[in-house]
Amino acid sequence: MIVAVKTNNRKRVVIKILLLLAVVGMFVAYYFYMSEEYAKKQKIESEKQLQEIKKKKKKEKDRKLERLIYREIETAVDLIGQRKVIDVKIISNKALIVVDPDTNLDALKVRYGTTALIKRDIKNTKIALDLKYIVESKYNEK
């Protein structure tokens, strides 16, 4: 049988203190590492939220512009008279309205002035409304 007698020598106390400091150092390093990871995660989430907010604002702006254009074309069709309208198209920044050749366009000329380009043919009359100008004037009002 072997009996070991433990004495309280300085080496053992120093080793215990060093081990305790090492464990505390590991916990501190882990704490700082995890706090950095959490900060990165928060930053990524906030960026995603900002992007979502921007997308929502852009969608809302697009909807407003679409409604504004739709109302303006509807107004133009009402000024001309629905029965006289053959076709309505939007091509780039212009609204192209095709109407019968005998249509009275005085009300349309008064409302849109020079922004309404009118071309008369034998078969029909084509009216091009500059939507860019209309949208800028109406959207800036609101």
Side-chain angles (χ1 to χ4, degrees), residues 77 80-89 95-101 103 105 119 121 123-128:
V77 169
I80 296 168
Q82 273 188 330
R83 293 180 187 230
K84 301 288 186 171
V85 176
I86 298 171
D87 191 19
V88 177
K89 293 180 186 177
L96 181 67
I97 303 171
V98 181
V99 296
D100 290 335
T103 307
L105 301 175
K119 181 180 179 185
D121 290 337
K123 294 181 180 178
N124 55 28
T125 302
K126 296 177 184 172
I127 305 160

Side-chain angles (χ1 to χ4, degrees), residues 105-116:
L105 301 175
D106 291 338
L108 194 73
K109 289 177 186 177
V110 169
R111 177 164 175 103
Y112 297 108
T114 59
T115 59

Side-chain angles (χ1 to χ4, degrees), residues 4-21:
V5 178
K6 293 185 178 180
T7 59
N8 237 356
N9 59 7
R10 289 184 180 171
K11 284 184 181 178
R12 195 171 292 269
V13 173
V14 169
I15 290 173
K16 284 185 179 180
I17 291 173
L18 288 176
L19 288 175
L20 184 63
L21 288 175

Side-chain angles (χ1 to χ4, degrees), residues 8-140:
N8 237 356
N9 59 7
R10 289 184 180 171
K11 284 184 181 178
R12 195 171 292 269
V13 173
V14 169
I15 290 173
K16 284 185 179 180
I17 291 173
L18 288 176
L19 288 175
L20 184 63
L21 288 175
V23 169
V24 169
M26 286 180 4
F27 281 125
V28 168
Y30 180 73
Y31 172 77
F32 284 116
Y33 172 75
M34 289 307 291
S35 66
E36 287 178 18
E37 288 293 319
Y38 182 73
K40 287 179 185 176
K41 192 181 281 186
Q42 288 294 329
K43 185 177 178 182
I44 290 171
E45 287 178 10
S46 66
E47 288 175 359
K48 284 182 181 178
Q49 287 178 347
L50 286 174
Q51 288 176 351
E52 287 178 12
I53 290 170
K54 286 180 182 178
K55 284 181 183 178
K56 285 181 182 178
K57 285 184 180 180
K58 187 178 185 306
K59 271 188 173 180
E60 187 175 319
K61 181 182 176 185
D62 290 346
R63 285 184 188 150
K64 283 183 181 179
L65 289 175
E66 184 178 342
R67 277 189 240 127
L68 195 129
I69 291 170
Y70 180 75
R71 286 182 192 148
E72 200 61 37
I73 292 174
E74 197 174 59
T75 303
V77 169
D78 286 341
L79 288 173
I80 296 168
Q82 273 188 330
R83 293 180 187 230
K84 301 288 186 171
V85 176
I86 298 171
D87 191 19
V88 177
K89 293 180 186 177
I90 295 178
I91 301 173
S92 66
N93 292 334
K94 306 264 188 239
L96 181 67
I97 303 171
V98 181
V99 296
D100 290 335
D102 61 338
T103 307
N104 184 8
L105 301 175
D106 291 338
L108 194 73
K109 289 177 186 177
V110 169
R111 177 164 175 103
Y112 297 108
T114 59
T115 59
L117 303 173
I118 301 170
K119 181 180 179 185
R120 294 187 184 268
D121 290 337
I122 296 172
K123 294 181 180 178
N124 55 28
T125 302
K126 296 177 184 172
I127 305 160
L129 300 175
D130 187 17
L131 292 177
K132 184 177 178 184
Y133 175 76
I134 294 168
V135 167
E136 285 176 357
S137 64
K138 294 284 183 177
Y139 192 73
N140 291 336

